[in-house]
Amino acid sequence: MLKATISLAALLAATPALAEDEIIVTALGIEQPSDEVGQAVTVIDADTIRTRQSVSVVDLLATTPGVRFNRSGSLGGVTGVSLRGAETTQTLVLIDGVKVNDTSGIGDMYDFGNLLTGNIQRIEILRGSNSVAYGSQAVGGVVNVMTGTPATGFAGNASVDYGYSDTLNAKADISGGSGIASGGVGLAYFNTDGISSAANGTEKDGYENIAANAKLKLAFTETLSLDLRGYYIHADLETDNGVVDSIADSSKSDQYVGYAGLNLALFDGKLTNRAAVTWFRMDRDYASAYGDYGYSGTNLRFEYEGVYQPVDQARLIFGYEHERPDYDFSGFGSVESHKVDIDSIYALAIVKPFAGLSLTGGVRHDDHSQFGGATTFGANANYTPNQGATNIRMSYGEGFKAPSLYQLYGTDVGNAGLRPERSKSYDIGFDQRLGGERAILSVTAFRRDTKDQINYDYSIGLYGGYNNLDRTRAKGVEAMLTLKPVDALTFTAAYSYVDARDRNTDARLPRRAANAVSVSADYVWPFGLSTGATVTMVGDSFNDATNAVRLDGYAVADVRASFPIMENLEIYGRIDNLTDEKYATVHGYGTYGRSAFGGVRVRF
């Protein structure tokens, strides 16, 4: 045993160091080298997004560890993402730094159904409770979606493809910089005849999605700059009446995302300050045989964040936030409008007592105008004995989720006495690199305990209502392997085991399979052809909290190829669900069968 220990230590010490650390922004909301982060973070970069040819962001997320999703029917249908077995309402989502969870939703869940890859260039997924940095909703973790950074000089990209069910997918973006200004704009359009949302239906439900994004940065001096960002999504979706064909049901939605931030560095850059206003609005309108109705939610936020670094070995992060979420409903002869105020302060410290060890700890207090205050703590550590070839990580995080406005004030069902949901999250893991970046193995074990989870209680009021009923627990293991034995071949595999249960009944939490694995391989041939495939396998789960309705496991295989016609022009194509697998992520709703697409892209 001693010999084995010594041999392992010698191997780790002899492993070549990485040339440069990857930069992570989601752990604390600031740029950090990866070997400073003690939490589990997965990055999907621009090359991966382009190579995979995925249309929906969720399809990319599903290939990473710890992620489970469910979609009600065709592309554009209501789609929730669960991280490490948490509720889909406990995933905090950012688009270009703006919190976009829907304040008009039943549980403030962000609906990923209309978030297509479009001009998105990077996605970071942080797993584990992290309310110290992000406040309410970061119980399961954080998904941070980013558009591209404007290029120096001038650059542009455009692509268009067409395929199954009369599907057209087109996008373009341009960016550049001159003098003090740099910026970029992008536009994406998607239209399809779709499939039937009802699994047994025959009438297709069409879908249209238009997305636009813009960024502008003005660097007035080396220490003072202004950031402006915007994102917009419009979606029209034909739906069914639950799991039954219908031509009367449809929905329209508009999402508006805005950010304006001023950045100022003082004391020779030792103190950086960021003051920003962010705005998110979601409008959802529905038509049905029973009448028309609609929801509107807005979240206006003010953020101040300071980062003070007196020496290289220590950083202090502190800040204040104020947000005012509001919610409006109209339909069926009634109108509702509600809002709350939340004020938050936080402080974190990053300390490096000696080479290779990074320690982070922090505290946050949120004051909610309805239920009062919530204080959360968090700490993590990252240690490398060999300049980043091996990283040992561990973290403890607390999370809380404020009751949604609908849960607090909804007519007949609201409960103004609700408490926030609370969680405690623990994980430990390692990242091992061999041959520089030729092989990377990451393994993490985790556990999260949640209490005061909000659910519907039929025992209160005339019609029932929301109450703090549930206690849940999730534990498991995540693993990810990346291999690049030669420059032309990239292989990735992600596996996760998630045991998510109701602690009151020991039932498995619905729509969260225990086992999931995704394997991808891409190869660039000497004559320029690129070919690849992704196989995603998901185990059995249950559709309901009582575990009465089973969702069978499934395996979906996608293949793809691209070929450069000239330096800046290439053709590409893919076949999704190659084996025409029949499956469901929500009982009674349809999913796409085998479908093929082809197109062309240009870069300049």
Side-chain angles (χ1 to χ4, degrees):
M1 179 66 182
L2 178 60
K3 289 182 179 180
T5 303
I6 294 174
S7 298
L8 178 59
L11 172 65
L12 298 182
T15 304
L18 296 175
E20 185 176 359
D21 290 320
E22 184 171 30
I23 299 300
I24 303 295
V25 301
T26 307
L28 299 179
I30 63 171
E31 291 188 353
Q32 293 179 272
S34 58
D35 65 0
E36 191 178 276
V37 178
Q39 297 154 303
V41 180
T42 299
V43 176
I44 304 173
D45 61 17
D47 287 340
T48 301
I49 295 171
R50 183 176 58 253
T51 300
R52 298 279 178 85
Q53 302 182 28
S54 298
V55 171
S56 172
V57 166
V58 160
D59 293 333
L60 291 169
L61 296 178
T63 64
T64 64
V67 174
R68 306 289 188 268
F69 81 96
N70 56 79
R71 178 187 288 139
S72 299
S74 62
L75 190 66
V78 176
T79 306
V81 169
S82 167
L83 300 179
R84 287 183 171 174
E87 299 300 311
T88 56
T89 58
Q90 295 172 338
T91 300
L92 186 137
V93 183
L94 305 171
I95 296 180
D96 279 339
V98 179
K99 183 178 178 181
V100 293
N101 290 78
D102 183 7
T103 60
S104 70
I106 290 178
D108 292 346
M109 183 192 84
Y110 181 74
D111 178 8
F112 280 84
N114 297 318
L115 186 61
L116 308 186
T117 51
N119 291 307
I120 290 167
Q121 296 293 306
R122 183 180 176 90
I123 305 169
E124 294 184 7
I125 306 103
L126 180 146
R127 301 181 297 279
S129 299
N130 196 20
S131 282
V132 171
Y134 290 103
S136 176
Q137 219 136 10
V139 172
V142 180
V143 175
N144 189 2
V145 176
M146 292 165 267
T147 56
T149 301
T152 56
F154 179 79
N157 299 273
S159 67
V160 59
D161 57 68
Y162 179 82
Y164 174 79
S165 196
D166 201 19
T167 298
L168 176 66
N169 183 26
K171 56 189 175 183
D173 70 270
I174 56 172
S175 66
S178 178
I180 69 168
S182 61
V185 295
L187 182 66
Y189 177 77
F190 181 89
N191 188 285
T192 181
D193 288 346
I195 61 171
S196 175
S197 291
N200 296 320
T202 57
E203 170 260 339
K204 289 185 176 181
D205 295 306
Y207 177 57
E208 181 183 57
N209 183 295
I210 302 171
N213 61 280
K215 282 185 177 179
L216 175 65
K217 182 171 184 176
L218 300 174
F220 303 113
T221 68
E222 291 184 357
T223 60
L224 179 64
S225 64
L226 174 68
D227 280 326
L228 301 174
R229 309 168 198 158
Y231 204 96
Y232 169 73
I233 303 173
H234 170 80
D236 284 323
L237 175 67
E238 297 172 353
T239 60
D240 287 326
N241 183 10
V243 297
V244 179
D245 261 347
S246 169
I247 59 173
D249 292 83
S250 64
S251 68
K252 293 184 179 182
S253 68
D254 292 279
Q255 300 179 43
Y256 308 86
V257 181
Y259 176 98
L262 195 63
N263 310 290
L264 176 64
L266 300 171
F267 310 121
D268 295 325
K270 291 183 178 180
L271 175 63
T272 59
N273 303 271
R274 180 181 64 87
V277 176
T278 76
W279 182 71
F280 174 69
R281 182 182 178 93
M282 169 73 86
D283 294 327
R284 296 180 288 127
D285 294 297
Y286 299 89
S288 74
Y290 306 103
D292 298 345
Y293 58 100
Y295 301 86
S296 180
T298 304
N299 196 2
L300 177 65
R301 291 170 55 90
F302 169 77
E303 305 170 348
Y304 167 76
E305 181 179 71
V307 181
Y308 180 57
Q309 187 166 9
V311 294
D312 291 342
Q313 295 79 17
R315 272 195 290 180
L316 177 65
I317 305 161
F318 52 92
Y320 164 77
E321 297 172 356
H322 172 80
E323 66 178 292
R324 173 171 285 189
D326 66 45
Y327 151 75
D328 296 287
F329 168 79
S330 62
F332 308 117
S334 67
V335 176
E336 289 186 47
S337 182
H338 306 288
K339 62 184 177 182
V340 294
D341 290 280
I342 306 173
D343 292 278
S344 312
I345 55 172
Y346 61 91
L348 301 108
I350 305 170
V351 179
K352 299 179 179 179
F354 55 83
L357 178 64
S358 178
L359 304 172
T360 302
V363 62
R364 179 188 186 101
H365 181 77
D366 294 84
D367 186 71
H368 191 283
S369 60
Q370 177 60 44
F371 66 73
T375 301
T376 49
F377 299 90
N380 64 78
N382 188 317
Y383 174 65
T384 174
N386 46 22
Q387 297 178 285
T390 306
N391 288 88
I392 301 168
R393 300 174 280 101
M394 59 184 66
S395 73
Y396 167 76
E398 294 181 359
F400 88 97
K401 181 189 174 300
S404 71
L405 293 170
Y406 182 80
Q407 290 166 340
L408 286 168
Y409 307 120
T411 300
D412 296 325
V413 298
N415 179 357
L418 289 172
R419 303 181 300 277
E421 302 174 346
R422 304 296 296 259
S423 70
K424 294 182 178 181
S425 175
Y426 318 80
D427 64 37
I428 183 169
F430 70 87
D431 308 310
Q432 178 62 55
R433 293 162 173 83
L434 298 171
E437 294 285 344
R438 292 297 184 187
I440 306 174
L441 173 64
S442 299
V443 178
T444 306
F446 67 88
R447 172 173 170 157
R448 183 189 61 257
D449 295 310
T450 306
K451 65 178 183 179
D452 290 333
Q453 197 157 293
I454 298 170
N455 208 334
Y456 203 79
D457 185 353
Y458 289 93
S459 68
I460 62 175
L462 182 61
Y463 305 102
Y466 290 97
N467 210 348
N468 296 101
L469 289 179
D470 296 342
R471 301 181 309 132
T472 64
R473 173 173 295 145
K475 57 184 178 180
V477 177
E478 303 161 341
M480 190 161 187
L481 174 66
T482 301
L483 298 175
K484 200 173 181 67
V486 295
D487 290 342
L489 176 62
T490 302
F491 173 88
T492 61
Y495 168 76
S496 55
Y497 169 73
V498 179
D499 182 16
R501 294 182 180 271
D502 184 327
R503 287 193 281 164
N504 295 328
T505 65
D506 200 41
R508 299 195 66 90
L509 298 182
R511 301 173 187 169
R512 272 152 279 191
N515 293 282
V517 61
S518 182
V519 178
S520 296
D522 289 276
Y523 184 75
V524 181
W525 298 85
F527 55 93
L529 175 67
S530 175
T531 55
T534 296
V535 178
T536 300
M537 294 170 283
V538 179
D540 293 351
S541 62
F542 293 99
N543 191 68
D544 59 327
T546 61
N547 292 181
V549 179
R550 180 178 292 275
L551 293 171
D552 292 334
Y554 58 91
V556 175
D558 305 326
V559 295
R560 53 188 171 268
S562 63
F563 184 74
I565 303 299
M566 55 184 67
E567 182 179 0
N568 296 320
L569 178 69
E570 71 174 346
I571 56 174
Y572 64 93
R574 72 184 190 278
I575 301 176
D576 293 338
N577 195 358
L578 180 66
T579 61
D580 203 26
E581 178 85 345
K582 308 299 182 185
Y583 68 100
T585 60
V586 179
H587 179 70
Y589 285 89
T591 53
Y592 276 79
R594 184 188 299 112
S595 48
F597 308 86
V600 60
R601 63 166 65 107
V602 61
R603 283 180 272 183
F604 52 89

